[in-house]
């Protein structure tokens, strides 16, 4: 073998080693995503990430809140750099009137502000020992959703039927009427002038580490993380016309 071809082989081998090692090295050295400065803020989780085990594992909570929701917030802050009115408007006003936005930001705002609103609600209604529905909320569940057991079964079924990524919500009208509704992607009932009393995230990122393809098991287990006193507060706010995201 000539010196040239031997050198060529050594170079090739080194290239292969470098190529194989590169993705891991890049991943390990990647800095944690710094939140883009701006008007949108990632709300802190109300409980430690391991507070919901075994129903939702700590790693899923960390990634879901610290990566997925954080990315929606960072994307919004990037858009707000060139569209400062976005950061000074009420989230419900923007989502309730997406057609007022310029075409160049409409899609980004729909996905990321929808995601920000949905996840802000989602963390707010979570608690490790969240009790049971009582009082006016329970009365509304009985009246509009056929009682707690039927409601939970119907809600789980609707979440299971949502094809691909999306959400299953209970919407609440100003007169307190409840309905189970699903939305694709990060769409929110706010986009239709409604409000979400509560909702569950059926994107795979919400459950895949622990449940893989078993979305139905996740939907069932999720009820163990629901904060019913917070939902009672949201119900009262909806009837008073003051419920935000
Ligand atoms: Mn999510």
């Amino acid at each position: 073998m000539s010196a040239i071809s031997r050198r060529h082989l050594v170079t090739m081998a080194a290239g292969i080693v470098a190529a194989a090692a590169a993705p891991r090295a890049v991943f390990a050295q990647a800095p944690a995503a710094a939140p883009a400065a701006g008007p949108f803020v990632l709300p802190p989780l109300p409980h430690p990430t391991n507070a919901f085990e075994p129903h939702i594992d700590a790693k899923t909570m960390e990634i879901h809140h610290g990566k997925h929701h954080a990315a929606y917030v960072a994307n919004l802050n990037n858009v707000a750099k060139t569209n400062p009115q976005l950061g000074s408007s009420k989230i419900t006003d923007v989502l309730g009137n997406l057609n007022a936005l310029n075409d160049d930001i409409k899609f980004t705002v729909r996905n990321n502000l929808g995601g920000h609103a949905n996840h802000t609600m989602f963390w707010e209604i979570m608690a490790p020992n969240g009790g049971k529905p009582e009082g006016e909320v329970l009365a509304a569940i009985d009246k509009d959703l056929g009682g707690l057991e039927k409601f939970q079964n119907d809600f789980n079924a609707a979440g299971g039927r949502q094809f691909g990524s999306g959400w299953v919500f209970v919407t609440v009208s100003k007169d307190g009427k409840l309905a189970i509704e699903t939305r694709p992607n990060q769409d929110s009932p706010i986009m239709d002038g409604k409000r979400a009393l509560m909702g569950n995230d059926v994107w795979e990122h919400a459950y895949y580490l622990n449940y893989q393809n078993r979305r139905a098991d996740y939907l069932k287990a999720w009820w163990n993380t629901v904060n019913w006193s917070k939902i009672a507060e949201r119900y009262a706010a909806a009837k008073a016309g003051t419920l935000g995201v």
Side-chain angles (χ1 to χ4, degrees), residues 64 68 72 119 167 186 201 203 205-206:
H64 198 175
H68 289 276
Y72 303 135
H119 287 85
W167 289 75
Q186 293 297 354
D201 187 343
W203 283 59
H205 69 223

Short mmCIF file of all heavy atoms in Angstrom, two decimals, residues 64 68 72 119 167 186 201 203 205-206, ligand 1:
data_model
loop_
_atom_site.label_atom_id
_atom_site.label_comp_id
_atom_site.label_asym_id
_atom_site.label_seq_id
_atom_site.Cartn_x
_atom_site.Cartn_y
_atom_site.Cartn_z
N HIS A 64 -41.49 18.74 29.49
CA HIS A 64 -42.73 19.36 29.02
C HIS A 64 -42.76 20.85 29.38
O HIS A 64 -43.04 21.71 28.54
CB HIS A 64 -43.91 18.62 29.66
CG HIS A 64 -45.22 18.83 28.98
ND1 HIS A 64 -46.36 18.18 29.35
CD2 HIS A 64 -45.57 19.63 27.95
CE1 HIS A 64 -47.36 18.57 28.58
NE2 HIS A 64 -46.91 19.45 27.72
N HIS A 68 -40.65 22.24 26.17
CA HIS A 68 -41.75 22.49 25.23
C HIS A 68 -42.43 23.84 25.52
O HIS A 68 -42.51 24.70 24.63
CB HIS A 68 -42.78 21.35 25.28
CG HIS A 68 -42.27 20.09 24.67
ND1 HIS A 68 -42.31 19.84 23.32
CD2 HIS A 68 -41.66 19.01 25.23
CE1 HIS A 68 -41.77 18.66 23.07
NE2 HIS A 68 -41.37 18.12 24.21
N TYR A 72 -42.30 27.68 23.40
CA TYR A 72 -43.40 28.53 22.95
C TYR A 72 -43.17 29.97 23.44
O TYR A 72 -43.38 30.93 22.69
CB TYR A 72 -44.75 28.02 23.48
CG TYR A 72 -45.09 26.59 23.10
CD1 TYR A 72 -45.60 25.70 24.03
CD2 TYR A 72 -44.90 26.14 21.80
CE1 TYR A 72 -45.91 24.38 23.69
CE2 TYR A 72 -45.21 24.82 21.45
CZ TYR A 72 -45.71 23.96 22.41
OH TYR A 72 -46.00 22.67 22.06
N HIS A 119 -50.82 25.60 28.04
CA HIS A 119 -49.94 25.02 29.08
C HIS A 119 -50.02 25.80 30.39
O HIS A 119 -49.91 25.20 31.46
CB HIS A 119 -48.51 24.92 28.56
CG HIS A 119 -48.33 23.84 27.54
ND1 HIS A 119 -48.60 24.04 26.21
CD2 HIS A 119 -47.99 22.53 27.67
CE1 HIS A 119 -48.39 22.89 25.55
NE2 HIS A 119 -48.03 21.96 26.42
N TRP A 167 -55.66 18.69 22.15
CA TRP A 167 -56.12 18.83 23.52
C TRP A 167 -57.57 18.38 23.63
O TRP A 167 -58.33 18.49 22.66
CB TRP A 167 -56.06 20.30 23.95
CG TRP A 167 -54.66 20.80 24.16
CD1 TRP A 167 -53.75 21.12 23.17
CD2 TRP A 167 -54.00 21.04 25.40
NE1 TRP A 167 -52.58 21.53 23.75
CE2 TRP A 167 -52.71 21.49 25.11
CE3 TRP A 167 -54.40 20.90 26.74
CZ2 TRP A 167 -51.79 21.82 26.12
CZ3 TRP A 167 -53.48 21.23 27.73
CH2 TRP A 167 -52.19 21.68 27.42
N GLN A 186 -52.13 23.32 18.94
CA GLN A 186 -52.22 24.15 20.15
C GLN A 186 -53.39 25.11 20.08
O GLN A 186 -53.38 26.18 20.69
CB GLN A 186 -50.89 24.91 20.38
CG GLN A 186 -49.72 24.03 20.72
CD GLN A 186 -49.88 23.28 22.03
OE1 GLN A 186 -50.83 23.49 22.79
NE2 GLN A 186 -48.95 22.40 22.32
N ASP A 201 -53.63 17.65 27.89
CA ASP A 201 -52.74 17.69 26.75
C ASP A 201 -52.56 16.26 26.23
O ASP A 201 -52.08 15.39 26.96
CB ASP A 201 -51.40 18.26 27.24
CG ASP A 201 -50.39 18.52 26.15
OD1 ASP A 201 -50.55 17.98 25.03
OD2 ASP A 201 -49.43 19.26 26.42
N TRP A 203 -50.84 15.64 23.32
CA TRP A 203 -49.63 15.52 22.51
C TRP A 203 -48.78 14.37 23.07
O TRP A 203 -48.73 14.18 24.29
CB TRP A 203 -48.80 16.81 22.59
CG TRP A 203 -49.29 17.97 21.79
CD1 TRP A 203 -50.51 18.58 21.88
CD2 TRP A 203 -48.56 18.69 20.78
NE1 TRP A 203 -50.58 19.63 20.99
CE2 TRP A 203 -49.40 19.71 20.30
CE3 TRP A 203 -47.27 18.56 20.24
CZ2 TRP A 203 -49.00 20.60 19.31
CZ3 TRP A 203 -46.87 19.45 19.26
CH2 TRP A 203 -47.73 20.45 18.79
N HIS A 205 -45.75 14.33 23.59
CA HIS A 205 -44.72 14.82 24.53
C HIS A 205 -45.25 14.86 25.96
O HIS A 205 -44.46 14.94 26.90
CB HIS A 205 -44.17 16.19 24.08
CG HIS A 205 -45.11 17.36 24.19
ND1 HIS A 205 -45.22 18.31 23.21
CD2 HIS A 205 -45.98 17.75 25.15
CE1 HIS A 205 -46.11 19.23 23.57
NE2 HIS A 205 -46.58 18.90 24.74
N ALA A 206 -46.56 14.79 26.14
CA ALA A 206 -47.13 14.84 27.48
C ALA A 206 -47.06 13.50 28.20
O ALA A 206 -47.23 13.44 29.42
CB ALA A 206 -48.59 15.30 27.41
MN1 LIG B 1 -47.76 20.01 25.85
#
